[in-house]
Each structure stands twice: as C-alpha cells, then as structure tokens.
Amino acid sequence: MTRRLIIDTDGGIDDAVAIWWAASDPRIDLVGVTTVGGVVSAEDAARNVLLVLEAAGRPDVPVAIGANDRLGPSPELRPADFIHGSDGLGNTVRGRVPAGTPLHGAIPLLDRLIDGMTSIVSLGPLTNLARLALELPRQAAAVDQLVIMGGAAAGGGNALPDGEANIAHDPSAAAVVVGAGWANPPLMIGLDVTHAATLDDSDFALLAEKRTPAAAFLDAPLRFYRPFGATFTAPACPCHDFATVLAFIESSFVTDAPILPLAIATAPGPAWGSTIVDFRAPAFARSGGSEQASPDGFADWRIGLGVDRALFRRRARQLFGD
C-alpha cells in the first residue's frame, strides 16, 4: 500500500535529493509539492522542483508557489548561497527553464489534495503550513502525518547559536505549526538526527560514477553542497531533507522518537528561533511520578533523537546506483 505525500520545500540541494527519492519510491504516492521562500525565493524553488521532477520522470506532479514573506518577526539570516548556490542547486540550473509551469498558491493546492489519508513532509520554513493551520484548520486536522525537517532537541543550531535554519527563518510560523490541531503528534527531524545521518567519501565516489539518472543530476549540486554542508560533521556530510523523507517512509530509520512537549522561542534575543524540548517528563516518570506542568506554548510532538545511519547510507547508495 502506497502512502500519499505532499512535500513543502524551499528548493535547495538536499531538498532535491529528498524530492527525487519521494518521486521514485514505489511506496510513496507523491501527489504534490508546494514551495516556500528560504534557500531561494518560492518562485525559484518552484523552478528547481520542476526541473527535479522532470529529470526524475515525474512531470505529472503538480507544483504550487507559496509564501515568500514571513508570518511574524524573524532574525536576519545570512543567505545560504555559500551552501546551495545562488540558484539553490549549486549554480547548476541558472538560465534553465523547466517545461512545466507552477501553480500560484500553495494553500489552494493543499486544500485540494488533503483528504485524511495524505501526509506532509516539510523541508523548509514553516510559513505555508502555519497559514494552512490558521486559514484551513479543518484541513490541517485532516493531515494523516506531519514530518518536519527543523530544530534541534539537544541544543545548538546551524543558522543561529541555538536556532536551526528552517525554524529560524520564521519562528512565529513554527510556533503556530507546533501548537496546531494535527490529528497525530507530528515528528520533528532535527539536527540530532540529520547530523548523525551522513555520507562519506565512498558514497561521494559512487555518486561521481553517475550510474543512475539521479546520480547524474545530483552529483554536481551535492559536490557544491559538501564543503559547507558538512561544517558540523566533517568529513562526513549530512543530507538533512533526504533523511526526513526516509523518516516518513522507513519505520525503522528513526530509532528513538519519544513524545515530548515542544515549543518555539519567538522573542528576539539569544534563543530566538530555537526549539525547546521538555525532557523532564521521562525523568519524572523514572523517579516514581514526580511531575511539573509545562508552561504555556508547548505541544506534544514526536522528537527524533536516534537514527540508523547504515540504513541511511544504503538508501543513498541505492539512489546513486549501488
């Protein structure tokens, strides 16, 4: 049985890997992609998605342009062109025009596609999903499973001292998404998982052989991405968004994902854009029932903490032609 999936993306290099996998995995029915400004504008992200889908043989998947602006005040972040290139795909698609044409309006496409059996994987800032939750709360509540690439449970960010990039781009939107009325506790795939799911020299050597259409398309972008994408994990390199799609479809990939209270720091200051996970409940349970209530603003989420790196590498090498 296949699982219906919508991807929300900001059009970067690791997004391209994730989208290619979702478009070609027979277990996934990729029914639509929406774009949000982040790595590049929502319009450029839509171009990148269309190029990936065309190369992957899936031009049938509808793509809709979503939000560029933010739901609320946001930190000033350095553009990610040093990681993803000015075009979002390692400066490999500048000037290329896809054959397909994107739709305008992420929310109408989400409204049309969500049917109670459809899941969403978010790979960028959470602005589109916050607007879905605010404008169409019944449709948000009908999402089967929400999985986001964002945040860090154990502390330490990549865009800010304690802020992961997707959350820090729009903390107010992230706070809305965290507190929205989802049918099931969403799954957060943060840096705790993605920094443990990495590719090494042998994986990049296989990629360079270009044995598959995916490897031929992704080789140059991933080589551009590797030097700064691996800042916190060198010499191995994470592929955050690919790990997030695997977390959606591979039940054994995330090895530890307890349900814990989650909140977002939305106020300017040292913690702006951070994900705050309340780890006290398991400790209280182990101590015989002592407990304290979480402050306002927390909601129960599944928090990814452990990952099967061997499975991640097997799936990457499968994509690259091993």
Side-chain angles (χ1 to χ4, degrees), residues 205-284:
L206 174 62
L207 175 68
E209 295 181 19
K210 302 180 182 178
R211 297 182 183 181
T212 64
F217 185 95
L218 296 168
D219 176 54
L222 279 170
R223 289 185 184 282
F224 183 98
Y225 173 87
R226 187 180 185 185
F228 289 105
T231 296
F232 302 100
T233 59
C237 181
C239 195
H240 308 274
D241 295 338
F242 179 40
T244 305
V245 166
L246 289 183
F248 163 71
I249 198 60
E250 297 274 2
S251 60
S252 63
F253 176 60
V254 178
T255 58
D256 186 16
I259 295 178
L260 294 168
L262 173 68
I264 308 295
T266 58
W272 200 4
S274 65
T275 43
I276 304 165
V277 177
D278 189 346
F279 285 99
R280 297 176 300 163
F284 290 147

Side-chain angles (χ1 to χ4, degrees), residues 107-295:
I107 302 304
L109 183 62
L110 292 170
D111 185 26
R112 174 161 63 88
L113 293 177
I114 294 170
D115 63 358
M117 299 175 62
T118 304
S119 297
I120 297 177
V121 169
S122 170
L123 306 177
L126 291 164
T127 315
N128 287 336
L129 297 189
R131 290 183 170 165
L132 174 70
L134 292 171
E135 297 173 20
L136 298 171
R138 290 186 179 179
Q139 285 296 75
V143 171
D144 181 35
Q145 179 67 61
L146 171 64
V147 183
I148 74 161
M149 191 285 117
N158 54 5
L160 294 170
D162 203 33
E164 182 276 328
N166 287 339
I167 303 299
H169 265 98
D170 196 348
S172 297
V176 168
V177 170
V178 164
W182 308 104
N184 300 295
L187 173 61
M188 184 183 96
I189 299 298
L191 302 182
D192 315 85
V193 167
T194 64
H195 280 174
T198 54
L199 304 173
D200 62 21
D201 288 341
S202 66
D203 303 316
F204 277 90
L206 174 62
L207 175 68
E209 295 181 19
K210 302 180 182 178
R211 297 182 183 181
T212 64
F217 185 95
L218 296 168
D219 176 54
L222 279 170
R223 289 185 184 282
F224 183 98
Y225 173 87
R226 187 180 185 185
F228 289 105
T231 296
F232 302 100
T233 59
C237 181
C239 195
H240 308 274
D241 295 338
F242 179 40
T244 305
V245 166
L246 289 183
F248 163 71
I249 198 60
E250 297 274 2
S251 60
S252 63
F253 176 60
V254 178
T255 58
D256 186 16
I259 295 178
L260 294 168
L262 173 68
I264 308 295
T266 58
W272 200 4
S274 65
T275 43
I276 304 165
V277 177
D278 189 346
F279 285 99
R280 297 176 300 163
F284 290 147
R286 288 193 300 270
S287 66
S290 173
E291 63 181 64
Q292 293 182 17
S294 292

